[in-house]
Amino acid sequence: MSNWDDLRIFLAVARGESLSAAGRDLRMDPATVGRRIGRLEESMGAPLFAKSPQGYGLTEAGARLIEHAEAAEQALSLANEAVRGRSDGLSGQIRIGAPDGCANFLLPQVLAEISDENPDLDLQIVALPRVMNLSRREVDMAVTVSPPTAGRLLVQKVTDYHLHLAASTDYLAQNPAITTRADLKGHRIIGYIPDMIFDKELDYLSDLGMTRVPLASNSVSVQFHWVRTGAGLGIVHDFAMPAAPDLRYVLRDKVHLTRSFYLVRHADDQRLERMNRFAAALSAGMRRELARLEGLT
């Protein structure tokens, strides 16, 4: 019969798909993790993982166990919350995943404000240009630009946001004037690497009929830095514009995009008052900060 500590280690390996990843998450030596998994498999009488060049994958027995392990994890969270009761402040650790535009230019201010109000709460931002895997508990919740359609997830729309074409004052002063969309053909365009766009909502340039991207990156921050330093024209979030006062909108009335942010959570977390309160604070903070930043442009 396994105890919670065994299941905790099992879940870490299942989500990290390697002993080293699980060890980092658990703050344990990978060899120790391996020994604990070995003992758990022995007590269960069945292999729980199949090792391959891609890492540790669940066997049929492991796939059956993970549902019960996650249920135990959820039950423990609910029990802890029930014992603690509701307090004025939030505590513990919460990790939020987000596309790097949101993570760099919007979330820092929002989470700093939440942290000020909840000094016992540890907040982490995972800024990666890809879709976060909530089922593997890479993050506790994620901000996305399109709503997922699969999995047991709780999805809520947070707010719309806006983007425009922009360039630095130096670039505009040193290059031919832009008065129509046809004039864009004579300018260097900055954008995403086409085959690394992880969400169709980020395919801005296709919407504008632009097929060639002379300067491209999978990172919004890199694109923003190129635009800010005068390397060319690029699509910029309105909420990022205040971070670079030397940027100017280009064809503002002719080139404009609207997208949306969604907050995605594990469905079971809806039963946790702590996560509900944090999600509400995060959503309200994002709406408030986005309105403030877009109002400055």
Side-chain angles (χ1 to χ4, degrees):
M1 185 71 172
S2 60
N3 57 34
W4 164 243
D5 201 45
D6 292 331
L7 295 179
R8 180 174 68 95
I9 293 170
F10 166 74
L11 284 172
V13 176
R15 290 164 179 166
E17 298 184 343
S18 74
L19 299 181
S20 58
R24 287 192 298 271
D25 183 53
L26 298 167
R27 297 183 180 178
M28 294 173 61
D29 181 75
T32 302
V33 175
R35 287 194 295 272
R36 294 290 297 273
I37 290 296
R39 290 206 298 268
L40 177 60
E41 290 179 324
E42 185 176 350
S43 69
M44 291 285 185
L48 302 174
F49 295 99
K51 189 175 180 181
S52 73
Q54 286 72 44
Y56 278 63
L58 289 171
T59 62
E60 185 177 342
R64 289 196 298 269
L65 177 61
I66 196 165
E67 180 179 346
H68 299 286
E70 288 180 337
E73 180 183 51
Q74 186 72 16
L76 184 61
S77 295
L78 287 168
N80 286 335
E81 189 170 277
V83 169
R84 288 196 307 267
R86 176 167 178 162
S87 63
D88 291 336
L90 298 171
S91 62
Q93 176 186 293
I94 299 178
R95 180 176 294 175
I96 305 98
D100 66 338
C102 175
N104 277 281
F105 300 107
L106 187 61
L107 286 187
Q109 303 93 305
V110 175
L111 294 192
E113 186 175 289
I114 294 175
S115 180
D116 288 342
E117 297 169 354
N118 301 275
D120 294 326
L121 184 62
D122 296 335
L123 297 173
Q124 300 176 349
I125 298 175
V126 180
L128 291 175
R130 62 175 176 81
V131 176
M132 301 291 172
N133 191 324
L134 274 86
S135 65
R136 286 172 49 191
R137 293 278 175 173
E138 287 184 328
V139 293
D140 295 301
M141 57 183 67
V143 177
T144 67
V145 293
S146 62
T149 56
R152 294 188 64 253
L153 301 171
L154 181 66
V155 182
Q156 67 180 90
K157 181 178 176 179
V158 177
T159 186
D160 290 334
Y161 63 96
H162 305 91
L163 310 98
H164 287 83
L165 197 61
S168 71
T169 52
D170 285 347
Y171 179 87
L172 294 173
Q174 297 168 14
N175 289 275
I178 304 170
T179 57
T180 69
R181 289 178 62 155
D183 294 332
L184 296 175
K185 293 180 180 178
H187 291 265
R188 184 159 60 189
I189 302 299
I190 295 164
Y192 279 103
I193 299 172
D195 62 354
M196 295 187 72
I197 296 174
F198 66 91
D199 191 299
K200 61 180 177 57
E201 296 296 330
L202 303 179
D203 193 7
Y204 310 133
L205 298 182
S206 289
D207 281 6
L208 303 176
M210 301 176 187
T211 56
R212 182 168 176 256
V213 189
L215 286 176
S217 173
N218 67 329
S219 166
V220 167
S221 297
V222 172
Q223 296 172 39
F224 183 80
H225 185 69
W226 268 330
V227 175
R228 185 180 62 80
T229 55
L233 303 167
I235 296 293
V236 174
H237 298 79
D238 283 12
F239 60 73
M241 290 289 284
D246 58 331
L247 289 186
R248 297 292 180 268
Y249 287 113
V250 175
L251 301 179
R252 186 171 187 174
D253 295 335
K254 299 180 177 67
V255 178
H256 47 84
L257 301 168
T258 300
R259 295 292 189 268
S260 303
F261 284 132
Y262 298 85
L263 186 61
V264 184
R265 303 162 54 194
H266 305 279
D268 290 340
D269 285 355
Q270 192 172 16
R271 299 166 62 194
L272 296 174
E273 179 66 20
R274 169 175 170 270
M275 299 302 285
N276 290 335
R277 290 172 61 196
F278 177 79
L282 177 62
S283 298
M286 287 179 63
R287 286 191 290 268
R288 186 168 56 248
E289 182 64 10
L290 191 140
R292 184 186 75 83
L293 292 172
E294 289 195 345
L296 297 174
T297 63

